Amino acid sequence: MRLFLVDDHPVVRAGLVALLGGETDMEVVGEAAGGEEALRGIAAREPDVVLMDLQLGDGIDGVETTRRVRALPSPPQVLVLTTYETDADLMRAVDAGATGYLLKACPPEELFQGIRAAARGETVLSARVATRMMRRMREPGTALSAREVEILELLASGAGNREIARRLFITEATVKTHLVHIYGKLGVETRTAAVTAAVERRLIRLP
Amino acid sequence: MRLFLVDDHPVVRAGLVALLGGETDMEVVGEAAGGEEALRGIAAREPDVVLMDLQLGDGIDGVETTRRVRALPSPPQVLVLTTYETDADLMRAVDAGATGYLLKACPPEELFQGIRAAARGETVLSARVATRMMRRMREPGTALSAREVEILELLASGAGNREIARRLFITEATVKTHLVHIYGKLGVETRTAAVTAAVERRLIRLP
DNA sequence: CGGCGCATCAACCGATCGGTTGACCCCTGG
DNA sequence: CCAGGGGTCAACCGATCGGTTGATGCGCCG
């Protein structure tokens, strides 16, 4: 089983090499610190599974790299191995064609089994990640409308209700109504908390 | 040189062991995934240098662990080795008694030299971290105090003034005074705008 | 057709926030 | 020594925000 590592931390790459060296059925055939380097290396070495971090430091991130890797002819499986377990990270990774999503904090044995499962094309999720997905499924009504996202973005820019109303050509009353709905869906009570909650879930992105 | 590792990621610990194994003058005498475990291990093994991550997953974080380690009789040097380079993390780590602050993304050679420097009691900073500090020095009036950063972090969590006051053991009046200063330094007029400005300038990091 | 969710608006009230002025303490450095 | 900066607190005021109730119109879907 040929593996390729993509992570901007030399320490993490060394750790994976060391850990995987103990498994007789796995071999690390290449590694990369950034997206561009990864694409070149993967095209050249043709691994079976790519272990991909999402935060790569330089311009092109892990999600975009995953998308391009999966667009290669006869692409390898891509197993995301990252630090965080936000909904948006997971969704975007899956959308980009990732085969699985594991956390760096997971025990090594879970990592080994995950890699073998990914090589067989099976979807593999860390226990904590799977738990989050289940909870999302069971709690509908948390999806924000397009209008509500518009409000959130102006909110994040620090605009007051009057300013938001002016920019969207509606009245303050309407803005307040939207805000109440947003607070409810995000489970917060203040505008500031709404902004941070939205950023964490990658509903909006700070400029 | 006896080293002790504190990091909640098995992969990272394995990576450090593998990397440091190549250096003849270093020896990893113990490791821990969490704060409590670290304190017990360090007291027992008496290392020269502790490599400390700031995100430990469980209740007690790296900063608090560092503070307690430095409070031990004849404490080891603590070298923070983490992923981020926000002002908040750096300032709190230094305040807690850390000898240095390196990033996991740094090249291994910088890590080795940093450990040797830390063992001699010298302060060592990653190049990117040092750059940030220099810029802070050269632009006074825009630099937030440690206390102001504390306020900002609670602000970002969506806390109201009363909640901030309660958590920091001060009165609402004091919180408001700090906020006025923060608004002035960041060039904003509302708490929400202050949070986004602070995140953009990497003064704080969203949870 | 009759709900249902979304978007819009109004009026009201209490709570909170933004801004100001003034004050005290502690520490550091010229 | 004392000026300066940071941290703390108080009292006050107007502006804004959070929360509520109620209402209208639109499009979708069974």
Side-chain angles (χ1 to χ4, degrees), chain A residues 8-16 18-19 55 81-84 104-108 111 155-160 190-193 195-197 199-200 206-207, chain B residues 8-16 18-19 55 81-84 104-108 111 155-160 190-193 195-196 199-200 205-207:
Chain A
D8 61 335
H9 295 350
V11 169
V12 172
R13 293 201 304 274
L16 289 170
L19 278 178
Q55 290 85 34
L81 180 66
T82 189
T83 305
Y84 301 103
K104 285 180 185 173
C106 79
L111 174 62
L155 204 60
S157 76
T190 69
R191 56 209 292 109
T192 306
V195 169
T196 58
V199 170
E200 283 169 34
L206 292 181
Chain B
D8 60 336
H9 295 167
V11 169
V12 171
R13 293 200 304 274
L16 288 171
L19 278 178
Q55 291 86 35
L81 180 66
T82 190
T83 306
Y84 302 101
K104 284 181 184 173
C106 80
L111 175 62
L155 203 61
S157 76
T190 69
R191 56 211 290 107
T192 307
V195 169
T196 58
V199 171
E200 284 168 31
R205 182 165 41 82
L206 291 182

Side-chain angles (χ1 to χ4, degrees), chain A residues 32-110:
Chain A
E36 302 290 355
E37 184 186 351
L39 284 167
R40 287 194 303 273
I42 291 169
R45 320 300 283 268
E46 296 188 349
D48 300 306
V49 178
V50 176
L51 295 185
M52 175 80 65
D53 190 13
L54 292 185
Q55 290 85 34
L56 295 184
D58 64 341
I60 169 176
D61 73 346
V63 171
E64 184 55 30
T65 306
T66 298
R67 197 181 308 278
R68 297 196 197 173
V69 166
R70 295 294 298 171
L72 293 173
S74 70
Q77 304 290 341
V78 175
L79 181 54
V80 169
L81 180 66
T82 189
T83 305
Y84 301 103
E85 31 139 5
T86 67
D87 294 2
D89 277 341
L90 173 59
M91 295 305 172
R92 292 194 303 171
V94 170
D95 180 62
T99 305
Y101 195 103
L102 294 183
L103 299 180
K104 285 180 185 173
C106 79
E109 193 51 41
E110 187 175 330

